Amino acid sequence: MSRFILSIDGGGIRGIIPATILAVLEGKLQARGKTLPLHRYFHLIAGTSTGAIIAAGLTCPQPRHPKEPAADAKTLVELYRRRGKEIFDQSVFRKLANIGGLLDEHYDAAALEKILIEMLGKTTEIRDALTKVLITGYDIHARRAVFLTNADPENERFYFWQAVRGSSAAPTYFEPALVDNLAARNRGETPTFPMIDGGVFANDPAMAAYVEGDKMGWRDNGDTIILLSLGTGSASRKIPYQQAKNWGAGGWINPGNDTPLISVFMQGQASTASYQLNKLLNRDPPAFSDGATVVTTENRSKLKYFRLDAPLAGVNDALDDTSEGNIAGLIEFGKTLAAKHDLALEEMADRLTAI
């Protein structure tokens, strides 16, 4: 049996790129007469940070229609397009009060929390997901990675909206989130913990998702794991040595420089995960070009790991540029990326249609 995993990277407003690609995949499935929502095709959907927003939208049941997902890919594209400015909105007063993000987080999380509760509901739990889901985060009290997932009964008693809020709490951008551990509360243990962005250790959560599939016994049962991993575009701007050598700690985390240290962490981990999974899942690993799997008519049917990503061009690689021009550019970038990797998406659509 084939087991399909969808993994979505973190990347702030750049989440509109994988959402756009998923909208193209939805269209390909519909062209084949398949109109079911994406959660019916993927056995596990994983996401970090902005990827967690997408994963939750695709898997969390609607508060008033519990058999339907909170959003499809097209709805998520519109969410980023219409409400991105609300999430990354900094008042003049806040900008002046914290000196552009140096004394406090760059953005107030209230708008993000409001949007998440509207979409996911206030009491819907990870265990209620319509398929297996994985959201990553980092517990700054216990100093450990956390994996909020209904693939593991010990880690499924979390509210969806809080899990996503914590997974999206990128340092310097949003303050840490207090996440309720409902299972711990019932046991009389510490009921909450402070969580920050899972991107600090797994901006690309594909390897974590693969491990969860392994924990569920998929490989032991002889199942074949097929993994589709979607990036949010990789930063293509060089970090000039003459600038970096004089930055010091403040320069590396300065939002005015688009927090280059965070970008380096995110991109370094993502490139490592894609390298490992290409070697692990593809028996005859294909070449990688611009951070993506090279899919051909000859190898497409043999691949088990597909990575779609590319260096950003013609758009801002900042996590929070919600200007109309940049949003439009990111959507166009997603469409171009989907077209460039049409063979990969066609192959995925064929395989998903078969189930």
Side-chain angles (χ1 to χ4, degrees):
M1 177 178 178
S2 293
R3 297 283 188 172
F4 291 90
I5 296 175
L6 171 63
S7 175
I8 309 119
D9 286 15
I13 194 61
R14 286 160 29 200
I16 202 169
I17 295 172
T20 299
I21 294 171
L22 288 173
V24 172
L25 179 60
E26 285 179 339
K28 290 183 179 296
L29 291 169
Q30 291 165 6
R32 288 164 168 78
K34 301 294 183 178
T35 59
L36 297 173
L38 286 177
H39 78 267
R40 295 288 299 275
Y41 299 99
F42 288 97
H43 298 88
L44 171 63
I45 299 179
T48 292
S49 195
T50 198
I53 295 176
I54 297 173
L58 297 176
T59 62
C60 179
Q62 291 184 26
R64 295 184 180 180
H65 303 282
K67 293 184 179 181
E68 299 295 326
D72 59 13
K74 289 182 180 178
T75 302
L76 289 164
V77 171
E78 285 302 298
L79 176 72
Y80 284 105
R81 189 181 68 81
R82 291 185 296 103
R83 308 195 70 177
K85 278 188 177 295
E86 294 178 46
I87 296 172
F88 295 107
D89 177 44
Q90 188 181 49
S91 67
V92 174
F93 175 78
R94 186 178 180 86
K95 187 177 293 186
L96 292 174
N98 68 9
I99 314 180
L102 291 177
L103 299 183
D104 198 356
E105 283 73 23
H106 216 47
Y107 300 103
D108 188 334
L112 174 59
E113 292 179 358
K114 179 175 181 290
I115 290 170
L116 292 177
I117 291 172
E118 287 176 3
M119 181 172 73
L120 306 174
K122 199 164 187 177
T123 59
T124 311
E125 298 180 27
I126 296 290
R127 67 175 179 177
D128 300 322
L130 298 170
T131 191
K132 298 301 182 186
V133 64
L134 169 66
I135 292 172
T136 66
Y138 187 83
D139 180 344
I140 59 174
H141 270 188
R143 298 297 294 268
R144 65 184 181 92
V146 290
F147 304 92
L148 313 183
T149 176
N150 57 345
D152 183 344
E154 294 184 5
N155 293 295
E156 65 178 3
R157 296 298 313 278
F158 300 93
Y159 294 127
F160 249 112
W161 80 267
Q162 287 186 351
V164 176
R165 165 68 178 89
S167 185
S168 304
T172 77
Y173 287 89
F174 296 106
E175 67 185 37
L178 283 176
V179 176
D180 292 322
N181 185 335
L182 303 175
R185 185 186 300 276
N186 292 340
R187 294 193 298 264
E189 301 171 2
T190 304
T192 63
F193 65 92
M195 181 168 142
I196 63 172
D197 197 324
V200 299
F201 74 95
N203 197 62
D204 174 354
M207 183 61 79
Y210 175 79
V211 170
E212 291 303 321
D214 188 54
K215 283 169 56 180
M216 287 186 285
W218 291 351
R219 287 198 309 160
D220 294 339
N221 295 335
D223 295 338
T224 300
I225 295 178
I226 312 296
L227 204 157
L228 174 62
S229 176
L230 302 180
T232 57
S234 56
S236 56
R237 288 184 295 170
K238 294 182 179 179
I239 299 176
Y241 168 74
Q242 293 299 332
Q243 292 182 24
K245 72 174 186 176
N246 297 317
W247 270 345
W252 280 100
I253 64 171
N254 187 351
N257 295 333
D258 294 323
T259 52
L261 187 61
I262 293 178
S263 177
V264 168
F265 284 163
M266 289 168 52
Q267 205 155 313
Q269 184 276 331
S271 61
T272 300
S274 60
Y275 170 82
Q276 292 170 331
L277 285 164
N278 186 43
K279 299 291 185 181
L280 182 65
L281 291 180
N282 291 326
R283 180 167 297 178
D284 184 15
F288 256 53
S289 176
D290 291 335
T293 314
V294 175
V295 180
T296 67
T297 54
E298 290 77 22
N299 72 8
R300 58 182 284 184
S301 63
K302 303 174 185 177
L303 299 179
K304 298 176 183 177
Y305 171 72
F306 299 83
R307 172 70 173 172
L308 276 63
D309 202 15
L312 292 162
V315 293
N316 190 350
D317 61 17
L319 306 181
D320 57 351
D321 184 351
T322 56
S323 63
E324 289 186 14
N326 197 57
I327 290 285
L330 290 170
I331 293 174
E332 190 60 33
F333 183 89
K335 292 178 179 178
T336 300
L337 188 57
K340 179 180 179 181
H341 297 287
D342 186 65
L343 267 181
L345 292 174
E346 284 287 331
E347 181 64 24
M348 285 301 304
D350 286 344
R351 297 192 200 182
L352 293 173
T353 299
I355 66 169

